[in-house]
Amino acid sequence: MDLSCTPEEEEFRARLREWLAEVLPTLPPKPSPDDWPGRRAYDLGWQRMLYDAGYADVHWDASPTVRLIFLEEAEKAGAPYVGANFVGLLHAGPTIAAEGTPGQRERWLPPILRGDEVWCQGFSEPDAGSDLAALRTRAWRDGDDYVVSGSKIWTSHAEVADWCELLVRTDPGAPKHRGITWLAMPMDAPGVTVRSLRTLAGSEEFAEVFLDEVRVPVANRIGAENDGWRVTMVTLSFERGTAFVGEVVACRRVLGELARQALANGRWDDPSLRRRLGQLNAEFRALWRLTQWNVSEAERKGGAPGVGGSVFKLRYSHARQELYDAAAEVLGPESLDLGRPWVLDRLSSLSYTIAAGTSQIQRNIVAERILGLPKGR
Amino acid sequence: MRFQPTDDQRALRAGVRGLLQRRFGRGALRAAVDRPGALDRGLWRELGEAGFFALRLPEADGGVGLGLPEAVLAFEEAGRALLPGPLVATHLAAGQVPGAASGQTVVTAVYGGLVEWLGEADVVRGDATGALPLTSVDPMTPLHRVVRAAEDRLPDPVAVLLTAAEQLGGAARTCELAAEHARVREQFGQPIGAFQAVKHLCAESLVRVETARVAVYAAAITADPLDIAAARLLADEAAVRCARDCLQVHGGMGFTWEAEVHLYLKRAWVRAQRMGSSAESEEKLAGELLSEVR
Ligand SMILES: Cc1cc2nc3c(=O)[nH]c(=O)nc-3n(C[C@H](O)[C@H](O)[C@H](O)COP(=O)(O)OP(=O)(O)OC[C@H]3O[C@@H](n4cnc5c(N)ncnc54)[C@H](O)[C@@H]3O)c2cc1C
């Protein structure tokens, strides 16, 4: 057991650190959360800078340790988060890299890496959330196209996306897991309508997507027809396995800020608050170790991340909510002021135990796939 | 980064597990419960011969010459097996107290205002004069209370870490016991593990075990006092809560003397107390948030 990096990895870290220190001051100011075109431009611009400097493919080509170093250093330096590039870089891209044909990889991967195209995830439907395989959006063959009709919901970044990783039902007669197909759908195709939804944080974070006889070329299918559930499992393992890593570093930074704020406003004198922050420190230290553990395991075994991602996602999503509840305790009455830092984070942390599979679903996965308990009815 | 046990470390763990299964299986465990206060000296010497106490002693001094990560893996196994005795104190005395390394001498120490196994120990480290016997809640760990202000400070970080490793082992074992029971016990015509209320108790246990595991292993690598304090908090939580949930999953059977679950819970309480109050560890970790320059 070892926590050290190789000389090459340390060299990568040092070069990256130097580069970040150089370029971060040149970034334009961050757009406001509701300025969607501004956010798209900002996130793509950052991706382009990474591309030009040779860091763009770190999420899928580099070794897991190098990816970890990248996320750690970027977050420590205060670099922009993946933002609108989340789906493309962290799960659609890796899925196409793993499951696509050479032609498909050539078509979709370079634009994601260069920061030319944004992806969104069209999995959930109004009647198929946790029970994702119950999805009903239909697709039937017409010559070289699929014709798609139905609707998707909770689609993050739909407003600014160029492509959608779309799950459709291609065989309504088959058992529900068997008749699904994974398609890359252009968001500007005729028949696609996006209607944004307002979140409890007041922002327009996600949207409903209506699909009315949208034509998607058969060539845009990733994997075989009706084999989409298997491909989806690949996508979800990336989503749960690696997507939240950088955030743990950010949470540790917030914890330090909370302590200093508490010292400044006198709340630090309360031993119960101090003990709570101490517990959270232990918690986030352990979450960082869990990240290193999962990365080391992935490096040892190779392939897509395993169910260890569910263990991490469960513990992390709850810890993040506790962190911002502690922030409210530090802030006192100010915690009700939306203008204060941490208050919006507290609101958005509420989605962490729901999005990317609820805690209840993750517990089922851990119990059935790791502990071998029987499937429930 | 290779934050996973090496082949040698896996072999060591398997070796300790095998030894304990042979020498301290279920029968021996029940016998130990029925003879409270008596330490199996033969087993103690066998542990000594196997290098359990001398694990970290340099080879030049007759030890095995391994490090904290190996010691942590061995203590995790001891925790799994619920092995009784002042293991941590004797291990720490190896190379300092004659006979400790070989298991000839049983060494105990004053930790957290308590002394374990005072009656059976050959050597006591720390001042235990006037120690008063308690009716120990753990039938396998005789306890004496020491009332001295000097003992209120946090014990040696290595003692804290090895205790956390024992807690981890206990937590992992109760998580397994819960899942095993949930797979076979049937109610309403199906295994109880198919019910989500039960399934989710087991899943939460697993998550606690794995989180504590990485904290304990990382602390063994860095030997950093703050890593150790964090590991201790997570391991105590995992040991106590996994045992409680395991008891719940066993239903009425879990509340009996016959089932082993209560022994794990009681030992977890003893070990949590051994390391002094958790408030101290928490305060230490809170202090770090202010001091660290980021
Ligand atoms: C901020 C945010 C962003 C999102 N972004 C996207 C996106 O970009 N693309 C996308 O496709 N989806 C997205 N989602 C959707 C997300 O994946 C779903 O909300 C989630 O899977 C839950 O589905 P649901 O909302 O239909 O809730 P439901 O499935 O109706 O669940 C409601 C409650 O019932 C519980 N429940 C349901 N089934 C079970 C069961 N078998 N056992 C125990 N409890 C159960 C759930 O845990 C939950 O508590 C997003 C969601 C959020 C909140």
Side-chain angles (χ1 to χ4, degrees):
Chain A
M1 282 191 291
D2 187 350
L3 287 165
S4 60
C5 296
T6 64
E8 297 79 51
E9 288 161 351
E10 287 303 345
E11 201 187 303
F12 172 84
R13 186 196 298 278
R15 259 187 297 121
L16 173 63
R17 225 181 244 178
E18 217 171 283
W19 179 75
L20 285 167
E22 203 175 293
V23 300
L24 290 181
T26 71
L27 279 181
K30 265 206 172 98
S32 85
D34 269 338
D35 173 9
W36 279 101
R39 281 174 62 174
R40 177 188 155 103
Y42 183 87
D43 295 342
L44 288 178
W46 170 239
Q47 184 59 29
R48 180 70 199 205
M49 286 167 78
L50 289 172
Y51 180 82
D52 288 341
Y55 291 116
D57 58 353
V58 76
H59 295 296
W60 55 52
D61 265 359
S63 77
T65 302
V66 166
R67 187 181 322 141
L68 190 71
I69 293 173
F70 174 83
L71 292 166
E72 184 182 8
E73 292 301 324
E75 185 49 54
K76 278 188 176 160
Y81 194 52
V82 275
N85 290 312
F86 186 90
V87 172
L89 274 177
L90 299 182
H91 48 97
T95 304
I96 293 172
E99 298 288 333
T101 64
Q104 289 174 330
R105 291 202 287 271
E106 194 45 44
R107 166 62 194 87
W108 284 299
L109 301 187
I112 293 174
L113 295 181
R114 275 197 308 266
D116 292 341
E117 291 178 348
V118 167
W119 282 68
C120 64
Q121 180 187 37
F123 283 12
S124 305
E125 296 184 9
D127 293 323
S130 299
D131 188 8
L132 182 56
L135 62 94
R136 288 208 299 252
T137 290
R138 277 278 287 128
W140 57 94
R141 285 285 278 268
D142 182 28
D144 289 340
D145 290 338
Y146 285 106
V147 181
V148 182
S149 280
S151 69
K152 294 287 169 178
I153 197 165
W154 320 127
T155 317
S156 305
H157 306 302
E159 288 87 341
V160 295
D162 304 290
W163 292 94
C164 178
E165 47 174 23
L166 187 74
L167 296 186
V168 294
R169 183 159 302 283
T170 32
D171 182 357
K176 67 180 184 179
H177 292 90
R178 302 249 178 83
I180 295 171
T181 298
W182 202 109
L183 297 178
M185 180 185 76
M187 289 296 282
D188 61 0
V192 178
T193 310
V194 174
R195 191 172 75 202
S196 61
L197 293 163
R198 195 157 188 232
T199 72
L200 59 71
S203 59
E204 288 177 353
E205 202 60 47
F206 44 40
E208 269 180 293
V209 179
F210 301 97
L211 307 166
D212 182 17
E213 305 210 341
V214 180
R215 299 191 80 89
V216 180
V218 172
N220 288 19
R221 189 185 68 214
I222 309 295
E225 185 170 290
N226 298 328
D227 192 30
W229 187 251
R230 191 188 57 77
V231 183
T232 303
M233 290 303 109
V234 173
T235 311
L236 293 183
S237 75
F238 284 113
E239 182 173 16
R240 287 161 194 166
T242 44
F244 298 105
V245 167
E247 297 186 14
V248 177
V249 182
C251 286
R252 294 207 62 202
R253 192 186 59 229
V254 169
L255 203 50
E257 288 166 10
L258 284 183
R260 285 189 289 279
Q261 173 73 30
L263 191 69
N265 71 12
R267 298 279 291 116
W268 187 255
D269 295 337
D270 174 358
S272 75
L273 176 75
R274 285 199 310 269
R275 290 185 60 180
R276 190 160 170 201
L277 294 179
Q279 274 168 17
L280 281 167
N281 189 4
E283 183 73 26
F284 280 100
R285 278 167 164 273
L287 282 164
W288 181 244
R289 299 311 189 188
L290 199 48
T291 302
Q292 293 173 318
W293 180 265
N294 288 342
V295 160
S296 299
E297 191 173 38
E299 207 146 77
R300 195 166 61 88
K301 291 190 179 154
V307 277
S310 289
V311 173
F312 176 82
K313 202 249 175 197
L314 257 173
R315 187 93 184 195
Y316 171 62
S317 57
H318 290 269
R320 188 178 172 99
Q321 291 174 359
E322 282 167 33
L323 172 70
Y324 287 107
D325 281 347
E329 213 182 307
V330 171
L331 287 172
E334 309 243 317
S335 67
L336 301 178
D337 177 358
L338 280 173
R340 292 288 316 209
W342 302 324
V343 179
L344 272 177
D345 296 306
R346 186 184 191 202
L347 291 176
S348 65
S349 78
L350 298 170
S351 73
Y352 277 67
T353 48
I354 299 170
T358 68
S359 293
Q360 285 68 38
I361 296 301
Q362 306 296 339
R363 288 189 190 110
N364 288 350
I365 293 172
V366 168
E368 289 165 12
R369 310 249 298 270
I370 302 181
L371 290 173
L373 297 187
K375 274 201 182 310
R377 280 278 62 239
Chain B
M1 198 182 331
R2 293 208 164 65
F3 187 28
Q4 297 272 308
T6 62
D7 290 343
D8 284 349
Q9 287 167 337
R10 282 172 213 279
L12 172 86
R13 180 165 63 190
V16 178
R17 186 173 298 189
L19 168 72
L20 293 177
Q21 270 164 359
R22 270 194 319 281
R23 277 298 273 111
F24 197 70
R26 191 164 193 277
L29 175 73
R30 295 315 307 197
V33 173
D34 293 339
R35 290 190 305 131
L39 196 64
D40 182 346
R41 291 282 186 151
L43 174 55
W44 206 257
R45 275 190 298 275
E46 266 183 64
L47 287 171
E49 278 156 28
F52 187 89
F53 301 118
L55 204 61
R56 290 184 309 125
L57 208 58
E59 285 178 77
D61 300 333
V64 188
L66 294 172
L68 263 184
E70 287 78 16
V72 151
L73 292 173
F75 272 78
E76 180 184 341
E77 290 305 318
R80 270 181 74 87
L82 212 50
L83 189 64
L87 297 161
V88 171
T90 303
H91 178 97
L92 284 174
Q96 297 173 14
V97 173
S102 64
Q104 300 291 327
T105 312
V106 175
V107 182
T108 191
V110 181
Y111 289 134
L114 293 165
V115 202
E116 299 172 22
W117 292 98
L118 186 60
E120 287 280 303
D122 305 310
V123 174
V124 184
R125 303 180 100 198
D127 186 359
T129 37
L132 299 170
L134 302 183
T135 313
S136 176
V137 65
D138 174 5
M140 284 196 286
T141 311
L143 291 171
H144 280 71
R145 179 95 177 93
V146 180
V147 194
R148 295 193 100 79
E151 293 307 334
D152 284 349
R153 62 193 159 69
L154 269 186
D156 174 358
V158 175
V160 177
L161 179 62
L162 295 179
T163 298
E166 284 187 272
Q167 294 286 54
L168 167 63
R173 184 65 191 137
T174 49
C175 174
E176 275 173 23
L177 287 172
E180 276 167 23
H181 187 70
R183 279 196 293 266
V184 297
R185 169 71 175 170
E186 292 195 5
Q187 288 290 290
F188 300 96
Q190 57 179 326
I192 56 169
F195 300 113
Q196 281 195 343
V198 174
K199 186 176 282 189
H200 288 190
L201 280 179
C202 295
E204 283 298 311
S205 284
L206 188 276
V207 171
R208 281 194 291 266
V209 169
E210 294 311 314
T211 313
R213 178 186 306 285
V214 293
V216 170
Y217 289 0
I221 295 168
T222 66
D224 173 69
L226 286 161
D227 276 336
I228 292 175
R232 179 260 158 116
L233 291 177
L234 287 151
D236 282 353
E237 183 217 29
V240 171
R241 296 213 34 210
C242 291
R244 278 180 187 257
D245 288 352
C246 180
L247 200 150
Q248 181 69 19
V249 168
H250 279 76
M253 208 227 267
F255 194 69
T256 65
W257 188 263
E258 198 46 42
E260 262 110 71
V261 193
H262 70 110
L263 300 173
Y264 278 94
L265 178 58
K266 291 164 177 174
R267 187 71 63 81
W269 282 340
V270 167
R271 295 190 199 110
Q273 188 62 48
R274 183 195 294 162
M275 292 304 114
S277 112
S278 61
E280 271 171 281
S281 303
E282 286 158 357
E283 289 278 6
K284 200 167 167 172
L285 285 157
E288 185 219 3
L289 296 173
L290 287 179
S291 64
E292 196 172 316
V293 185
R294 284 160 200 266

